[in-house]
Amino acid sequence: MITDIEDFFTRGCGRCARFDTPDCSVRQWTAGLDDLRRICRELQLEETVKWAHPCYMHAGRNIAIIGALRGDFRLSFFNAGLMRDPEGVLERQGENTRHPDMIRFTRSDQVSEMEGIIRAYLQEAMAYAEKGLKQPKEEGGFDLPEELVEAHDADPELAEAFHALTPGRQRSYVIALSSAKTSQTRINRIAKYRDKIIAGKGAMER
């Protein structure tokens, strides 16, 4: 997976065999992705690479992440449970997604058409970060490590697969991640466990 931000916009994310080929999903949406990047940078969001995608931060918090698929590209918000969505543009990334959290585009020129809305939503999310606000935790079950919540927000396939696991298998990952002493170690473990989660296995299963 890529670690250089420029690679995403020119070659793709590196997660599949279509990386750096004309068939890469990023290549289909170059103009729209470049517009999203411009808007984020003009708002002075910090540009980083997380989960092999462009992630934009403010006040030490993840604000939004950019992704591209064959049928669309999207701007997904972290802590989406806080977002008010007055324009009704946010959609759920999957049936197990907790909150509507993404603006989905099926044409590159939609970004310029919606620029005012995109800026307003990003500024709303930035304000929550400045105040240290986070979406309320769900009742029942068990709390997920923050790094796992953020990985789900950034990676819809991972989120769907994790929520489809049995409660016992979900708990096995919570235990494995909670034993890590640092945030970076938890992030590294999530990357290592991703294939297992997608395969429907628990943390200790082969």
Side-chain angles (χ1 to χ4, degrees):
M1 296 190 294
I2 60 113
T3 57
D4 186 322
I5 190 70
E6 299 301 333
D7 280 343
F8 178 84
F9 291 98
T10 57
R11 306 173 67 200
C13 67
R15 279 184 171 171
C16 74
R18 293 182 289 118
F19 175 61
D20 203 19
T21 71
D23 196 35
C24 176
S25 297
V26 170
R27 300 282 182 90
Q28 301 176 41
W29 310 110
T30 299
L33 293 169
D34 286 347
D35 268 348
L36 283 178
R37 184 186 196 188
R38 172 185 57 79
I39 292 168
C40 289
R41 295 173 78 172
E42 286 178 356
L43 289 173
Q44 299 186 344
L45 287 164
E46 178 188 351
E47 187 176 58
T48 63
V49 175
K50 293 189 177 183
W51 305 283
H53 287 74
C55 180
Y56 294 88
M57 302 181 66
H58 181 68
R61 294 264 298 277
N62 294 330
I63 300 298
I65 195 163
I66 291 175
L69 303 175
R70 285 182 181 270
D72 62 72
F73 63 104
R74 48 191 66 179
L75 180 69
S76 302
F77 292 86
F78 296 89
N79 285 298
L82 295 172
M83 301 294 289
R84 294 172 299 175
D85 192 20
E87 303 294 333
V89 297
L90 293 180
E91 301 179 28
R92 295 179 186 270
Q93 301 215 38
E95 63 181 24
N96 290 315
T97 304
R98 294 168 300 158
H99 305 284
D101 62 352
M102 70 164 177
I103 302 177
R104 186 168 63 95
F105 308 94
T106 56
R107 303 191 326 269
S108 283
D109 60 0
Q110 283 179 290
V111 177
S112 58
E113 292 174 359
M114 298 178 63
E115 181 162 346
I117 295 173
I118 295 167
R119 285 178 178 271
Y121 279 46
L122 286 169
Q123 288 169 330
E124 179 187 347
M126 291 166 69
Y128 295 140
E130 290 169 4
K131 295 175 182 177
L133 298 177
K134 295 184 179 181
Q135 62 193 24
K137 293 182 179 179
E138 296 180 357
E139 294 184 7
F142 40 83
D143 292 338
L144 302 183
E146 183 175 352
E147 294 81 3
L148 184 57
V149 173
E150 292 184 343
H152 288 175
D153 288 340
D155 187 343
E157 184 181 9
L158 175 65
E160 287 289 295
F162 184 86
H163 289 296
L165 294 175
T166 64
R169 288 189 171 111
Q170 291 180 6
R171 190 181 295 276
S172 73
Y173 288 106
V174 172
I175 293 171
L177 295 173
S178 297
S179 67
K181 294 182 178 180
T182 68
S183 177
Q184 188 57 54
T185 300
R186 286 189 285 275
I187 291 171
N188 292 342
R189 286 185 183 178
I190 292 167
K192 182 181 73 172
Y193 289 142
R194 186 179 188 276
D195 287 346
K196 273 190 174 183
I197 295 171
I198 299 296
K201 296 180 179 180
M204 305 305 294
E205 294 180 77
R206 292 186 177 182

